[in-house]
Amino acid sequence: MSEPRQLSADQLAAWRGFMKLLQRLPAALESQLQQDSKLSFIEYHVLAHLSDQPGRRLRISELAVLANTELSRLSHMIGRLEKRGFVCREPDPHNGRYTQAILTEAGFAYLADAAPGHVSQVLDLFINVLAPDELRTLHRISDKVLARIERSG
C-alpha cells in the first residue's frame, strides 16, 4: 500500500488560506445583504440569475444548477420569494412537466435596489484588493479548477 499523499508547507498554507476565504467571503457578503436588503446570499443570486434570463424566467431545475443548490432547497426558497412577491411559478409553456420561476416586476425592482450595496461590498472586499493582473490570474485559475471539477463530476 502506498503512503498517504501529503501537502507541502506552501501547498497547505495556500489551501488553508483559500478555504478560509471560501468561508468568510460569502459570510461577509451575506451579512451585508441581510442587513441592507433582508436577502440571503443565495436568494440574491437566484434573483440575479432570473434577471439575466430572457423574459426573466427559467426552469426551476436549471435555476438550481445555476445557483448550485438542491432542487428541493431551491423550491422552498422560491416559495419564500413568492410570498414576498418577488417571483411567481408557472408551468413551462414548452413542456408542462417542468415549472418555471419568473422574476416579477416587484422582484426586479427589489433586486435593483439591493444591487448597489452588494456590488459596493464585492468591490470593497474583493475586486479593489486585487490588481488587474491578479484578477485575470484568478479568473484563469477559477476556470481551470472548475473545468477539472466538471470533468471529474
Side-chain angles (χ1 to χ4, degrees), residues 62-73:
E62 293 175 25
L63 186 56
V65 172
L66 283 176
N68 194 35
T69 190
E70 297 158 0
L71 186 56
S72 62
R73 181 175 181 215

Side-chain angles (χ1 to χ4, degrees), residues 15-31:
W15 178 246
R16 285 184 175 160
F18 180 69
M19 292 307 297
K20 189 179 283 189
L21 173 65
L22 283 180
Q23 293 168 344
R24 292 195 179 169
L25 182 61
L29 295 172
E30 170 111 17
S31 177

Side-chain angles (χ1 to χ4, degrees), residues 81-105:
L81 293 170
E82 262 185 315
K83 287 178 184 165
R84 294 175 74 179
F86 297 162
V87 299
C88 62
R89 291 183 235 210
E90 291 179 3
D92 186 325
H94 303 292
N95 186 337
R97 294 179 299 153
Y98 295 99
T99 301
Q100 290 187 332
I102 299 122
L103 183 64
T104 64
E105 286 300 320

Side-chain angles (χ1 to χ4, degrees), residues 32 44 111-121:
Q32 176 274 319
Y44 178 88
L111 178 65
D113 287 343
H118 178 65
V119 169
S120 178
Q121 188 78 332

Side-chain angles (χ1 to χ4, degrees), residues 26-142:
L29 295 172
E30 170 111 17
S31 177
Q32 176 274 319
L33 283 165
Q34 282 288 343
Q35 182 178 350
D36 295 352
S37 305
K38 307 298 184 254
L39 289 171
S40 70
F41 186 68
I42 193 165
E43 287 171 337
Y44 178 88
H45 284 282
V46 163
L47 296 176
H49 282 304
L50 285 173
S51 76
D52 292 339
Q53 301 303 313
R56 298 182 189 147
R57 60 177 53 227
L58 190 63
R59 285 181 179 172
I60 292 177
S61 56
E62 293 175 25
L63 186 56
V65 172
L66 283 176
N68 194 35
T69 190
E70 297 158 0
L71 186 56
S72 62
R73 181 175 181 215
L74 180 65
S75 186
H76 290 294
M77 182 190 318
I78 294 293
R80 290 190 305 273
L81 293 170
E82 262 185 315
K83 287 178 184 165
R84 294 175 74 179
F86 297 162
V87 299
C88 62
R89 291 183 235 210
E90 291 179 3
D92 186 325
H94 303 292
N95 186 337
R97 294 179 299 153
Y98 295 99
T99 301
Q100 290 187 332
I102 299 122
L103 183 64
T104 64
E105 286 300 320
F108 185 74
Y110 200 85
L111 178 65
D113 287 343
H118 178 65
V119 169
S120 178
Q121 188 78 332
V122 169
L123 286 167
D124 184 52
L125 296 179
F126 190 79
I127 301 296
N128 293 341
V129 176
L130 302 172
D133 63 318
E134 291 173 319
L135 282 172
R136 285 188 295 275
T137 299
L138 181 59
H139 188 198
R140 285 193 307 273
I141 291 167
S142 298

